[in-house]
DNA sequence: CGGGTCGTTGACTCTCATCAACCCTCGTGG
DNA sequence: CCACGAGGGTTGATGAGAGTCAACGACCCG
């Protein structure tokens, strides 16, 4: 179980690499009013069309954003992991354009919209650091457009698995390309624009070729370079140099 | 020909609806160091992998962002119109993750990275307003993920045309759902994740059904509601309430 | 033990990609 | 003034990748 306060500290450390924070900035971050809440899998954190009243940060667990077309098809547009400041939209946009739903059981910290806006105005260095999060989110969305638009099922899924591997590694939640991915095949399908049936077959193919190993919700990538090549994966778009918190991650 | 200074003024008016700017903010924006340059169609403004040195704003003309997979397939991830502050990435991210290329002949204003960062730190209200642009960009990317991931060719193209209609209308470049779209069918294909051949056929179908009219690079949508329905288009994600500049657009 | 969720498999279908040719338009230069 | 070439648009024939439908199986939990 991660200590919530350590997550805030990791956030501060991450931000500190982007802009030199002063004591006021750090204090403002540490004393930012918030409420931490446990969210059960499948519960909504944000609903499309609502007027947002808060921003939130994942302390623990996984969540995803998705939209549903008028025909009822669901598309997952991003998956978020502990440490991700999701829904910065909620601080500045007037209406939510998508849903956010918990993937696994989550601990989520909620920050009132007004407090976020005040923080932004009073602490421009903090704002700058948070804005970088928004920019990186945007970069990942762009790569997802490419993924669903121009890759076949095989490389599409491989790409998703590569992305998770690197992001989780940086977050300290994957080791040697092994990690837990709490997504059903239906959710993988919604993230890749495929059908669950085809995801199933494609995963089997990748496994048969020794490119991945899977067992329940665990994924391992025994031959990283090979899978990377199949995926056409290049991690530039993750901007990892601006994501890592300096200082050692909490070891537990 | 648009007067460049009026574009900066429109930007200021737009920002003013997001956060109350004071005279210092306005002056900082007006005196922000920049160079306006003419970019010929097809020329690159930003290249994937480069270290960015500047941000830019489209004064006139159209531009698009795209990425190319290792297999050589191109995916256009966004199309930008006059008034769009593209490449805010360039102000804060350390490496470009995509290309920006001129679609038509453009007038583009370039702002040095250092000046942008200084502006952000000195004028938090301006930063907040610009950040909203980044958030709206992100929202549009999300919708594009849905578009290429979960809509068939027909509604995919219809959706793109609806999006352009509304954005151009707000920018004063479309009237009654008629506008000029300087994109080839190959570029439309790269924006929708289809092939040029299929785009051609789909456009013909839409035209035959009276849902669109086209003539060279001009597009008209004679039955907006009908096309909107085919596209499953809902403009929430454009956050137009936060895009319009208040005050009247420049009349010429 | 029963029910629900998720994963797996097979047979069949269909949308969209591919390949290849041809046409049209427009700008250029002899 | 016409020939030429290039870019973009159009058309047809064919095929492959992914979707659909439907059934069954594995696992988990109460």
């Amino acid at each position: 179980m991660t200590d919530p306060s350590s997550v805030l500290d990791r956030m501060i450390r991450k931000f500190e690499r982007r802009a030199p924070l002063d004591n006021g900035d750090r204090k403002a971050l540490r004393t930012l009013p918030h409420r931490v809440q446990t969210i059960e899998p499948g519960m909504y954190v944000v609903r499309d069309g609502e007027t947002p009243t808060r921003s939130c940060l994942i302390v623990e667990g996984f969540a995803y954003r998705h939209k549903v077309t008028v025909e009822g098809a669901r598309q997952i547009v991003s998956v978020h992991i502990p440490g991700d400041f999701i829904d910065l939209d909620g601080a500045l946009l007037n209406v939510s354009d998508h849903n956010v739903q918990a993937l696994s059981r989550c601990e989520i910290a909620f920050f009132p919209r007004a407090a976020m806006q005040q923080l932004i105005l009073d602490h421009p260095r903090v704002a700058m650091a948070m804005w970088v999060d928004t920019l990186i989110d945007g970069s990942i969305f762009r790569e997802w457009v490419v993924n669903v638009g121009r890759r076949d099922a095989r490389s599409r899924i491989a790409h998703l698995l590569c992305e998770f591997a690197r992001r989780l590694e940086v977050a300290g939640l994957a080791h040697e390309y092994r990690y837990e991915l709490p997504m059903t095949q239906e959710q993988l399908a919604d993230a890749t624009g495929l059908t669950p049936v085809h995801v199933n077959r494609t995963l089997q193919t990748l496994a048969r070729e020794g490119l991945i190993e899977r067992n329940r919700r665990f994924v391992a990538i025994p031959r990283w370079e090979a899978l990377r090549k199949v995926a056409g994966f290049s991690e530039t778009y993750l901007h990892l140099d601006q994501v890592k918190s300096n200082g050692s991650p909490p070891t537990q």
Side-chain angles (χ1 to χ4, degrees), chain A residues 8-19:
Chain A
L8 284 182
D9 283 339
R10 286 180 66 185
M11 180 176 78
I12 292 174
R13 280 206 301 278
K14 178 174 77 174
F15 287 174
E16 218 138 15
R17 308 183 69 228
R18 297 179 184 166

Side-chain angles (χ1 to χ4, degrees), chain A residues 6-178:
Chain A
S6 90
V7 168
L8 284 182
D9 283 339
R10 286 180 66 185
M11 180 176 78
I12 292 174
R13 280 206 301 278
K14 178 174 77 174
F15 287 174
E16 218 138 15
R17 308 183 69 228
R18 297 179 184 166
L21 306 185
D22 66 20
N23 282 330
D25 295 330
R26 277 186 283 269
K27 186 170 174 213
L29 274 169
R30 264 198 221 91
T31 62
L32 191 60
H34 67 280
R35 212 179 67 221
V36 176
Q37 218 173 319
T38 301
I39 308 287
E40 295 300 320
M43 284 191 63
Y44 280 81
V45 179
V46 173
R47 274 180 194 277
D48 196 347
E50 274 183 352
T51 303
T53 60
R54 54 194 191 176
S55 265
C56 53
L57 169 75
I58 303 186
V59 176
E60 174 134 2
F62 291 68
Y64 63 103
R65 308 185 189 205
H66 73 270
K67 305 188 75 161
V68 179
T69 68
V70 285
E71 278 83 30
R74 179 194 321 273
Q75 175 70 45
I76 293 177
V77 297
S78 63
V79 177
H80 294 280
I81 68 178
D84 281 0
F85 216 127
I86 47 172
D87 206 35
L88 281 167
D89 308 55
L92 294 174
L93 295 182
N94 297 335
V95 55
S96 299
D97 53 70
H98 61 278
N99 306 288
V100 177
Q101 213 171 346
L103 203 46
S104 56
R105 172 183 285 215
C106 290
E107 294 287 313
I108 294 187
F110 293 95
F111 307 94
R113 185 176 163 97
M116 289 293 293
Q117 293 193 359
Q118 203 55 55
L119 176 71
I120 290 166
L121 293 177
D122 294 344
H123 298 275
R125 282 177 296 267
V126 172
M128 194 172 183
M130 288 184 170
W131 187 353
V132 170
D133 269 5
T134 303
L135 286 166
I136 294 174
D137 262 20
S139 174
I140 297 178
F141 291 139
R142 286 191 285 274
E143 187 63 40
W144 278 47
V145 173
V146 176
N147 206 37
V148 293
R150 287 296 186 213
R151 282 195 260 264
D152 64 11
R154 177 184 166 75
S155 38
R156 212 182 284 188
I157 290 176
H159 196 279
L160 197 71
L161 296 178
C162 286
E163 178 182 312
F164 288 146
R166 291 298 293 131
R167 288 172 59 199
L168 289 170
E169 183 93 33
V170 168
L173 295 170
H175 305 283
E176 296 172 353
Y177 307 113
R178 297 172 173 278

